[in-house]
Amino acid sequence: MSTVPTRVFASGSEAGRTAPAAAARRIARGGFAALRRTPPGLVLAWLVIATVVLWALAPGLFAGQNPVAGIAREKLLPPSAAHLLGTDALGRDLYARIVHGAVHSLSGAFVAVTVGLLAGTSLGLVAGARGGLVDLLVMRLVDTLLAIPTLLLSLTIIVLLGFGTVNAAIAVGLASVASFARLTRSEVVRVRGADYVEAAYGSGGTFWRVLWRHVLPNSLTSVIGLAALQFGTAILSISTLGFLGYGAPPPTPEWGLLIAEGRNYISRASWITTAPGIVVVLVVLSANRISRAFAGSPR
Amino acid sequence: MSAPLLAIDHLDVSYADGPDRRRVVHGISLDVAAGEVVALVGESGSGKTTLVQAVIGLLPEGGRIDGGAIRLAGTDIAGWSQRRLDALRGERISLIPQDPGSSLNPVKTIGAQVGEILRLHRRLGRAEIREASLDLLAQVGLSQPALRLGQYPHQLSGGMKQRVLIAIATALRPSLIIADEPTSALDVTVQKRILDLIDTLRRESGTALLLVTHDLGVAADRADRIVVLRDGSVQERGPAAAVLSAPRSAYTRQLLADIPSLAAPRLRPIPAPREGPPAVVVETLARDYPGAGRRPFRAVDGLSFTVAPGTTHAIVGESGSGKSTTIRAIVGLERPSAGRILVDGLDLATLRGDTLRAFRRRIQLVYQNPFSSLDPRQTIEAIVEEPLLNFEPVARAERARRVAEIVERVGLPSGLLRRRPAALSGGQRQRVAIARALVLEPKILILDEAVSALDVTVQAQILRLLDGMQAERGLTYLFVSHDLAVVRRIADTVTVLRDGRAVEQGTVEAVFERPRDPYTRDLIAAIPGQRLPAPRPVAAEA
Amino acid sequence: MVRRLLARIGQALVVLLAAFTASFLLLQALPADAILIKFMNPDLGLSPEQIAEIHAAYGAGMPLWSQYLHALGNFLTGDFGTSVQAGVPVRDSLAANLPATLTLAALGFLAAVILALAVSFLSNLTGFVWLRNSLAALPSLFVSVPVFWLGILLIQVFSFQLKLVPVIDPGPWERLILPVAALAVPISAPLAQILMRNIDAVLTQPFVAVARAKGASRHSVLWRHVVPNALLPTLTIAGVLFGELLAGAVVTETVFGLNGLGTLTQQAVANQDMAVLQAVVVISATAFVLINLAVDLLYPLLDPRIAEADAR
């Protein structure tokens, strides 16, 4: 064995100079290769999400027209240069409505994921790390929540909280607590059994230190993957609640509501439902693609 | 002269690697004559498995033959369609796979899986297939063949499963059998019996064998000719005796020197036992697990031994012998059901909470699998530094100094400190694990199959490192292994475990030279490489 | 074996009781006073006696635990209370609406299974890389499509543009074609995903290589070795799929204007009809628990490894 290290340590100064330089070259090469190897689909997914986030942050930059007040004589116009995606029954520019609607869907999804992630991860972490009776109780609670279909659970919570954008978001988030809790727990249990965790206890680590240094960071990767997936699911659920009329009230340009409003005109003005639907599909598809990248599966 | 049975001619094989192709077999040529045994020897990454997968036409997805020819009795089959190869596979070439545990379909009966090869190539009725399957199972030495036909794979032991797979591979008396590491997943005693069985069946039907192995000892015992591969190219080839006694390539010489064999000398002379109380005392240790039915399963039963400070004690046994349970009890990860353990004079049973944590400074464990024992998210520096953070505060600069020192001592380049385990080879990872164990300056190091997952050359490097550390720091080692040859090379005293009981104990010399227990004798006889010549040490130690 | 069976059934009962308790607390106990506040609104002009009567009708005067036991007893005997909105027993409106939804869900499930099997098998059998890749991408697309939008899109294309399915006065089966299609797409997605993942995982198993080495063809190995191993684990998501099916029914029935459990639920939410909502929640939780129980009990019969582990 000794040949390799002898060469490296033969002269300390030389090793000091060449090793980091070589490492830097390797890293630079690796970075370039990594970019070249990023699947085009993933790049596209990040682009879609970035665009929609920009819509939510600064809608005025992307769409000049008023999303709420329409011009009555310009109603139900097909897509044209003046109205990229046409107009709706009240003469409002559909493109402007979609761009301005991004903030409702995105912030809703953000709230939903935050609620689910915080509540679910804490429950799962406690259950997985503590085990015993706590684990048993938490997991039976999770079983119960999982037994009720998510949409029904969201609807039940909405009935209690009342209709509205924030309430719909909270309802969707609470309905996802069980999935987060279950995944976090199984990850924690998996990591807890790993050799490196045992080794950490074996080198004198205390329960909390090992939890913080090893169990938590190694459990979180797939939880973050689930959060990305849940982001897409939340956009779908929130638009569904909006469509059913339990989310944002009109004339908010929420995407689900846009589709609901266009329903009555599908024979005459199909673009009113088609365009927002495609936007929802693209955003959800992108969120799912990013989540798979976290999970590390190629498909 | 007629064409050889198998002639591989300048074969190139590559795998898709993102947008590029990575070549793993570089223009390899080799012949196998009818009835001959050729061993393909190489370490991981040598391309040996890829080569035989190409021969049988079953490269994994992304694999491709880029050039060269594979001639079976003179006919080039390299470009054949899968449909044409289907008629060939099983009938003329067959395969004995590496891992018997996952090589049988878990939801089909043994009968269905043995019968399948007959059904595919022969026009036979159900009764005839059953009859023939029974004969095959009897031929490979399975007891109660009629019962086995209706059983599922999980109801059979590893060795029995490999016998079923051998029955399948020899069913149609093919002219060539490819055996890809057929015994590396099995215990040594089982390993020998399986290799003997393949030999017998092969001889009877005049079948040629292409034996893929990482173990030069297995090759030495079984092969007529040996081909040594490294990084996808042939390093050396020739009749087994010639390759072993007069290797021409430097790599083969290194392999031969590093291979742990019974004939190899001990790394250093037996040290005089140091003064002082024993480092480890185990007295009538027993450990029960809740088992089937009402009776608990006793994994360790009345085990006793002592280890003198500064020496190496080996615990040897096959899978299920209770080795792991024993060492987990000694490091305090499990409580014994009965008996007493003294480590460095401390009775483990008296330790709780903080005293147990303090005790951990004295005794450290190195795990078998260097891929799972390092946290993939930490840098090497963080991994080695972590134990120092668990006890009384050490200043940051002092920690950095101690980490750098131990990392250098275990032979890792300092450039690796900021890398993560994924960037390291198996041998480098095991060095990191050793550095982590030693940074607390323990007195006792427990090595749980610590070199078993490594290639022989890397294994030899780690063994030399461990030996050097022991001489330098007066460490006591408890070395757990299934590999007697390695034990012979590093240990001073040894306990042979079987079914949780010590069947033999003593100095390595006594146990290996004059084994008293029949089981120990079996174990020693089963070690491959008895035909290896006594190696001359290579000038590797500078 | 028997002990494990009893433990498993016990666990199912605990989950059911918990689901009932939670829905009772959330939907009946907490909002009872909230509803009373609604009736106490002076605009309604109800006399104090009438309010007291309503109060009693809701059982709000009783202590919580006796309300709970009362409701539990009623549920066990199949009495789900009275719908505030429709003024009829919940049991009757459920009975009226259940068959339509069950038909829709069963057909949707059947279509989803066929779709998922077709997608996953074709993607593994086809020799064309482009076809394989596009088929493999389908499930990800399917999960990303909002059901209500898909329904509208289907009406738009098949009823208005292609005029294949009549909108006005369709036959009893014609009426179901588009809803079933809309429902099947999102249900097939997770099924196809899990199937494809399992098939891929099984294909890398050494026993597949061994079967090929015997001389079995790709197709033969797929049917005889891969499919039996890949299909088994899909059973475990049957319960989750049922929940999706029910949620899908709520949306599809609304989009296509069909009567059923979905429309009933939707109206219950719109009108805050707690009794109906609780009945729907408890019934769907029961179905979920029963399906999972059935899968758990059935699994050992199909997978010899698990049967063995149980017998020990």
Side-chain angles (χ1 to χ4, degrees):
Chain A
M1 74 155 230
S2 31
T3 53
V4 175
T6 333
R7 215 184 322 123
V8 173
F9 291 106
S11 117
S13 64
E14 187 196 300
R17 258 184 291 113
T18 55
R25 266 201 310 280
R26 234 184 354 258
I27 288 165
R29 228 178 12 241
F32 180 70
L35 193 68
R36 198 164 58 106
R37 271 152 200 261
T38 308
L42 186 58
V43 176
L44 220 60
W46 278 111
L47 279 180
V48 168
I49 297 293
T51 311
V52 183
V53 167
L54 286 177
W55 283 1
L57 293 177
L61 285 182
F62 293 87
Q65 273 140 317
N66 190 321
V68 183
I71 303 164
R73 64 190 146 76
E74 289 187 359
K75 67 175 187 179
L76 298 178
L77 290 179
S80 66
H83 300 287
L84 278 180
L85 298 174
T87 60
D88 70 0
L90 296 176
R92 295 174 292 199
D93 181 70
L94 189 60
Y95 171 67
R97 282 178 70 71
I98 292 177
V99 169
H100 283 267
V103 68
H104 299 284
S105 296
L106 290 196
S107 60
F110 184 76
V111 169
V113 171
T114 311
V115 167
L117 185 69
L118 287 184
T121 309
S122 335
L123 276 177
L125 189 63
V126 168
R130 275 284 160 207
L133 186 66
V134 180
D135 188 19
L136 193 76
L137 288 177
V138 170
M139 287 331 283
R140 286 298 85 79
L141 175 72
V142 165
D143 281 349
T144 308
L145 286 177
L146 285 174
I148 303 168
T150 22
L151 183 70
L152 270 187
L153 195 55
S154 312
L155 288 178
T156 308
I157 298 167
I158 281 202
V159 167
L160 287 173
L161 298 176
F163 301 165
T165 319
V166 180
N167 289 348
I170 293 176
V172 169
L174 286 176
S176 70
V177 165
S179 327
F180 276 107
R182 197 170 59 161
L183 177 71
T184 309
R185 175 186 175 273
S186 73
E187 281 296 292
V188 167
V189 168
R190 176 185 67 83
V191 174
R192 255 182 52 180
D195 280 350
Y196 57 81
V197 168
E198 199 181 277
Y201 285 122
S203 64
T206 57
F207 175 81
W208 292 109
R209 272 192 200 159
V210 175
L211 190 72
W212 179 249
R213 261 188 229 146
H214 300 284
V215 179
L216 201 57
N218 282 292
S219 310
L220 279 185
T221 316
S222 42
V223 175
I224 289 170
L226 179 66
L229 185 73
Q230 208 61 47
F231 189 80
T233 313
I235 287 182
L236 270 185
S237 309
I238 287 171
S239 72
T240 303
L241 293 176
F243 173 82
L244 292 173
Y246 308 136
T252 319
E254 195 274 327
W255 291 341
L257 201 55
L258 288 186
I259 297 173
E261 286 169 357
R263 269 174 84 188
N264 299 326
Y265 309 97
I266 42 176
S267 59
R268 283 194 290 156
S270 55
W271 57 88
I272 311 183
T273 48
T274 313
I278 290 176
V279 172
V280 172
V281 171
L282 284 179
V283 173
V284 176
L285 208 54
S286 304
N288 291 356
R289 181 67 192 81
I290 291 167
S291 124
R292 278 199 307 282
F294 274 112
S297 91
R299 182 173 280 164
Chain B
M1 201 180 109
S2 65
L5 174 66
L6 175 73
I8 300 172
D9 190 9
H10 290 97
L11 193 71
D12 293 323
V13 183
S14 65
Y15 283 112
D17 184 12
D20 316 314
R21 297 201 69 82
R22 190 166 37 87
R23 184 159 289 185
V24 292
V25 170
H26 303 268
I28 290 185
S29 301
L30 69 88
D31 290 352
V32 180
E36 186 185 33
V37 180
V38 174
L40 214 49
V41 179
E43 297 185 293
S44 45
S46 62
K48 54 188 194 302
T49 294
T50 302
L51 182 67
V52 296
Q53 283 171 337
V55 170
I56 199 164
L58 291 176
L59 283 171
E61 205 162 295
R64 190 177 74 191
I65 295 177
D66 292 333
I70 300 168
R71 291 195 197 88
L72 191 68
T75 317
D76 185 5
I77 59 168
W80 276 24
S81 69
Q82 287 294 325
R83 195 180 292 269
R84 287 181 82 185
L85 287 169
D86 282 340
L88 200 77
R89 285 192 283 249
E91 179 80 56
R92 293 178 61 197
I93 307 181
S94 66
L95 174 78
I96 300 175
Q98 177 162 17
D99 176 13
S102 55
S103 293
L104 289 168
N105 187 338
V107 301
K108 296 230 167 205
T109 60
I110 301 300
Q113 302 190 56
V114 175
E116 185 178 20
I117 192 166
L118 303 168
R119 194 177 47 73
L120 283 166
H121 296 278
R122 299 276 187 272
R123 288 170 176 276
L124 294 175
R126 289 171 65 101
E128 291 168 297
I129 287 186
R130 191 186 147 81
E131 206 51 42
S133 305
L134 277 174
D135 283 351
L136 284 169
L137 292 186
Q139 226 172 66
V140 293
L142 273 178
S143 59
Q144 297 177 278
L147 169 74
R148 305 295 172 211
L149 280 187
Q151 281 186 316
Y152 288 94
H154 68 270
Q155 295 166 304
L156 273 54
S157 72
M160 286 157 82
K161 281 184 226 174
Q162 195 60 293
R163 283 174 195 271
V164 172
L165 287 157
I166 291 171
I168 293 172
T170 53
L172 303 179
R173 308 212 154 210
S175 43
L176 174 67
I177 294 178
I178 291 173
D180 185 4
E181 303 267 14
T183 55
S184 49
L186 302 172
D187 280 330
V188 269
T189 48
V190 185
Q191 189 174 353
K192 178 164 187 295
R193 270 177 263 143
I194 292 290
L195 288 171
D196 287 346
L197 173 68
I198 295 177
D199 250 2
T200 318
L201 292 175
R202 189 193 63 72
R203 256 181 243 281
E204 282 170 4
S205 57
T207 301
L209 179 68
L210 186 56
L211 176 68
V212 177
T213 179
H214 68 281
D215 191 335
L216 208 47
V218 169
D221 291 348
R222 311 280 167 179
D224 301 318
R225 288 194 298 124
I226 291 180
V227 178
V228 180
L229 290 188
R230 185 192 196 184
D231 297 335
S233 324
V234 173
Q235 291 290 315
E236 175 143 9
R237 72 177 82 223
V243 170
L244 297 170
S245 57
R248 276 166 292 138
S249 82
Y251 179 66
T252 315
R253 279 197 290 274
Q254 184 71 49
L255 269 184
L256 273 170
D258 288 343
I259 187 172
S261 84
L262 286 184
R266 256 188 62 84
L267 281 166
R268 65 195 160 86
I270 297 165
R274 252 190 310 153
E275 294 300 306
V280 178
V281 179
V282 172
E283 283 172 6
T284 59
L285 175 71
R287 177 77 171 98
D288 295 332
Y289 291 104
R294 261 154 276 158
R295 233 163 3 106
F297 167 68
R298 180 150 277 203
V300 179
D301 193 2
L303 178 65
S304 305
F305 60 85
T306 48
V307 185
T311 67
T312 301
H313 182 77
I315 300 178
V316 171
E318 298 187 291
S319 47
S321 60
K323 295 173 296 194
S324 299
T325 309
T326 307
I327 51 165
R328 290 174 60 82
I330 294 174
V331 289
L333 288 166
E334 272 185 38
R335 297 261 168 207
S337 309
R340 201 162 73 114
I341 300 173
L342 297 175
V343 173
D344 207 16
L346 271 174
D347 187 346
L348 286 203
T350 64
L351 303 179
R352 289 280 185 283
D354 278 346
T355 50
L356 182 64
R357 228 159 55 74
F359 155 78
R360 298 203 192 283
R361 301 192 70 146
R362 309 187 190 196
I363 184 161
Q364 286 288 304
L365 180 62
V366 177
Y367 292 81
Q368 167 171 16
N369 185 346
F371 290 81
S372 67
S373 66
L374 305 179
D375 186 339
R377 302 182 68 88
Q378 284 185 312
T379 61
I380 302 310
E381 186 169 29
I383 290 172
V384 179
E385 180 188 32
E386 182 173 329
L388 293 174
L389 299 168
N390 290 332
F391 296 98
E392 77 283 336
V394 183
R396 180 189 295 269
E398 169 69 7
R399 286 202 306 265
R401 191 189 63 73
R402 276 160 72 174
V403 168
E405 187 184 275
I406 191 74
V407 163
E408 183 185 334
R409 181 60 196 89
V410 299
L412 285 171
S414 58
L416 289 181
L417 280 176
R418 308 231 168 262
R419 311 294 297 267
R420 283 172 216 282
L424 273 60
S425 68
Q428 285 176 324
R429 289 178 203 217
Q430 205 57 307
R431 285 172 199 267
V432 174
I434 292 170
R436 170 179 61 189
L438 291 180
V439 76
L440 282 175
E441 300 181 350
K443 293 182 171 172
I444 300 156
L445 203 56
I446 300 199
L447 301 145
D448 182 8
E449 300 273 11
V451 296
S452 305
L454 305 172
D455 280 330
V456 275
T457 48
V458 182
Q459 186 176 52
Q461 290 167 12
I462 298 289
L463 287 178
R464 282 195 283 269
L465 169 68
L466 288 173
D467 201 56
M469 297 305 280
Q470 185 170 44
E472 189 179 302
R473 306 185 174 210
L475 289 164
T476 305
Y477 289 158
L478 197 53
F479 192 91
V480 177
S481 184
H482 70 282
D483 188 337
L484 278 109
V486 168
V487 166
R488 172 100 208 236
R489 206 147 190 212
I490 191 159
D492 303 306
T493 49
V494 61
T495 299
V496 179
L497 267 190
R498 186 189 196 186
D499 299 335
R501 290 168 178 275
V503 295
E504 185 143 6
Q505 284 182 323
T507 64
V508 164
E509 202 198 3
V511 170
F512 278 71
E513 304 293 332
R514 301 173 294 278
R516 281 169 289 119
D517 187 86
Y519 177 70
T520 317
R521 264 180 247 140
D522 274 356
L523 272 183
I524 292 172
I527 301 172
Q530 316 263 348
R531 274 163 55 180
L532 279 180
R536 284 147 300 193
V538 178
E541 217 76 30
Chain C
M1 185 65 195
V2 174
R3 235 167 113 184
R4 198 194 75 101
L5 198 76
L6 289 178
R8 185 61 190 81
I9 292 173
Q11 190 198 338
L13 288 177
V14 167
V15 168
L16 270 187
L17 188 66
F20 172 81
T21 311
S23 69
F24 170 82
L25 287 175
L26 291 177
L27 293 174
Q28 289 209 340
L30 291 182
D33 290 317
I35 291 170
L36 286 177
I37 290 168
K38 196 162 76 182
F39 288 108
M40 277 187 246
N41 188 335
D43 294 348
L44 289 173
L46 295 172
S47 67
E49 291 77 35
Q50 282 171 308
I51 292 176
E53 209 172 288
I54 295 169
H55 203 265
Y58 278 98
M62 288 193 274
L64 193 60
W65 61 266
S66 94
Q67 280 184 53
Y68 173 74
L69 288 181
H70 191 224
L72 183 59
N74 284 344
F75 260 78
L76 288 178
T77 54
D79 177 3
F80 303 130
T82 307
S83 160
V84 181
Q85 192 62 28
V88 294
V90 174
R91 182 168 41 178
D92 293 356
S93 37
L94 282 178
N97 284 299
L98 201 59
T101 302
L102 280 184
T103 314
L104 176 66
L107 290 175
F109 183 68
L110 198 67
V113 169
I114 294 172
L115 191 60
L117 289 177
V119 167
S120 42
F121 287 173
L122 277 180
S123 81
N124 265 292
L125 282 174
T126 179
F128 304 105
V129 174
W130 63 269
L131 185 59
R132 177 188 303 199
N133 287 344
S134 18
L135 281 172
L138 265 189
S140 327
L141 181 65
F142 285 177
V143 277
S144 307
V145 175
V147 185
F148 59 94
W149 181 69
L150 181 66
I152 294 172
L153 207 64
L154 289 174
I155 298 177
Q156 211 166 294
V157 173
F158 289 98
S159 294
F160 287 106
Q161 282 172 9
L162 301 176
K163 305 207 188 306
L164 287 177
V165 184
V167 199
I168 300 147
D169 207 18
W173 295 105
E174 272 177 330
R175 179 197 295 273
L176 282 176
I177 297 176
L178 295 183
V180 164
L183 191 55
V185 163
I187 302 295
S188 71
L191 252 179
Q193 271 173 334
I194 199 166
L195 257 178
M196 293 204 283
R197 206 166 44 228
N198 288 345
I199 290 179
D200 281 355
V202 175
L203 276 174
T204 63
Q205 291 284 310
F207 69 77
V208 170
V210 168
R212 294 298 312 275
K214 291 178 194 170
S217 68
R218 240 183 93 85
H219 289 208
S220 152
V221 169
L222 190 72
W223 291 115
R224 295 183 154 266
H225 293 279
V226 179
V227 168
N229 279 286
L231 275 182
L232 274 177
T234 49
L235 272 181
T236 52
I237 63 159
V240 178
L241 280 188
F242 168 79
E244 298 268 319
L245 217 49
L246 204 80
V250 172
V251 179
T252 11
E253 285 175 6
T254 312
V255 172
F256 289 93
L258 300 172
N259 284 324
L261 216 53
T263 342
L264 192 70
T265 313
Q266 210 253 347
Q267 284 162 359
V269 175
N271 301 317
Q272 310 209 317
D273 199 338
M274 301 304 184
V276 176
L277 198 55
Q278 196 195 357
V280 173
V281 166
V282 171
I283 286 177
S284 51
T286 310
F288 175 92
V289 167
L290 288 181
I291 290 174
N292 275 350
L293 187 64
V295 168
D296 275 12
L297 299 184
L298 221 92
Y299 213 98
L301 302 181
L302 303 174
D303 190 333
R305 285 166 291 182
I306 301 202
E308 184 79 0
D310 282 351
R312 277 188 202 138

